[in-house]
Amino acid sequence: MNELVHARMRRTSRSAAPPRKETGRTNDPERTKANILEVAEAEFGEKGLAGARIDEIANVTKTSKRMIYYYFGSKEGLYLAVLEEAYRRVRDVEAELNLQDLEPEEALRRLVAFTFDHHAHHENYIRLVMSENISRGQYLAQSQRIQDLNVPAIAAIRNLYERGVKLGLFRKGLDPVDIHASISALSFFNVSNRHTFGLIFKLDMQSPAYVAQRRDNVVEMIVRFVRKT
């Protein structure tokens, strides 16, 4: 009888034991989530949604699939969170440019240069956006945050553009969203097409000299497009 009771106690003890701690896991949930997002951005950027592996993200972050799903719900949920975080970061840095404190043309030049540099140094961001466009934006369409994240970008352009118009520096009738599109397109192409364009025209599009010249040209094109003649 005593042996039966002890056996039951041992089984109960084993079933009630807390889950084993994951090696290297931090007790800071926000830090853990940030680390997962950083690693996932590289994984999704390199392999796309279909090719990315949650096992690999868990291995690099020293967490587990269970933990990743706990925070993000699913692989698709993590992918969407990565997209939102990528947009959030670029908008946060844009807000630190203090464009409102600069003369309109100087503010425009700084914004274009920043966008060009950001894209040049964040190839995974470009690959993520390309991947989402291949998917026709179906995951980003599910985001509850993406519109709000991008409102400040358009507001900043509208502010500097309207100041420039009032001072007689910029021509009238331009749409801030169209200006944003032009800045994005010229900066995006230099990264998204660097391999094909460089191969066709035998250019090293990642050489410091080429990047610096292209950066200056893009800034000048946007300024001339907006400037009053």
Side-chain angles (χ1 to χ4, degrees):
M1 182 67 178
N2 287 340
E3 290 180 359
L4 180 59
V5 171
H6 290 320
R8 288 176 176 173
M9 289 177 65
R10 284 195 297 272
R11 286 197 297 271
T12 302
S13 176
R14 284 196 297 269
S15 64
R20 181 174 57 86
K21 287 186 177 181
E22 296 162 18
T23 304
R25 205 177 92 197
T26 176
N27 290 324
D28 183 347
E30 293 307 313
R31 183 178 174 187
T32 300
K33 289 169 67 176
N35 189 30
I36 292 170
L37 287 170
E38 181 181 357
V39 172
E41 180 178 345
E43 180 75 3
F44 286 125
E46 184 64 27
K47 302 174 185 176
L49 175 59
R53 296 179 63 246
I54 295 295
D55 284 330
E56 181 63 21
I57 297 168
N59 181 56
V60 175
T61 57
K62 294 182 171 58
T63 56
S64 66
K65 291 175 69 173
R66 183 185 67 173
M67 179 60 65
I68 292 172
Y69 291 143
Y70 173 78
Y71 283 131
F72 301 101
S74 64
K75 182 180 181 181
E76 291 76 16
L78 175 59
Y79 172 74
L80 178 56
V82 166
L83 279 171
E84 290 178 335
E85 178 64 12
Y87 278 97
R88 184 197 65 78
R89 283 201 307 267
V90 66
R91 300 309 173 219
D92 281 356
V93 179
E94 281 178 351
E96 296 173 1
L97 297 176
N98 297 317
L99 301 178
Q100 70 279 1
D101 298 331
L102 303 174
E103 292 298 317
E105 184 172 316
E106 184 182 355
L108 181 59
R109 287 180 178 275
R110 178 176 289 188
L111 177 61
V112 177
F114 161 76
T115 305
F116 185 93
D117 289 343
H118 171 271
H119 290 6
H121 295 118
H122 294 84
E123 186 172 2
N124 280 327
Y125 170 79
I126 302 300
R127 293 171 68 92
L128 281 167
V129 175
M130 291 169 64
S131 177
E132 184 59 10
N133 274 283
I134 290 172
S135 300
R136 295 178 171 82
Q138 64 173 308
Y139 296 102
L140 206 57
Q142 301 170 33
S143 173
Q144 303 298 312
R145 303 173 57 206
I146 197 63
Q147 264 75 38
D148 290 341
L149 285 173
N150 286 279
V151 166
I154 303 305
I157 293 176
R158 178 177 289 107
N159 179 274
L160 71 85
Y161 170 67
E162 289 179 350
R163 288 193 292 119
V165 170
K166 286 181 180 179
L167 292 172
L169 301 173
F170 296 159
R171 60 193 179 98
K172 297 179 180 179
L174 298 180
D175 179 3
V177 175
D178 188 60
I179 296 172
H180 175 69
S182 298
I183 296 171
S184 296
L186 289 169
S187 301
F188 196 94
F189 180 91
N190 202 60
V191 182
S192 65
N193 292 53
R194 63 169 47 145
H195 301 292
T196 53
F197 197 82
L199 182 67
I200 292 169
F201 295 103
K202 300 186 184 306
L203 296 170
D204 181 1
M205 294 182 66
Q206 298 185 71
S207 73
Y210 180 90
V211 171
Q213 183 62 58
R214 185 63 188 160
R215 180 183 190 265
D216 289 345
N217 289 345
V218 168
V219 172
E220 196 62 29
M221 278 189 277
I222 295 297
V223 170
R224 291 188 183 189
F225 168 67
V226 175
R227 185 189 286 153
K228 185 176 181 180
T229 56

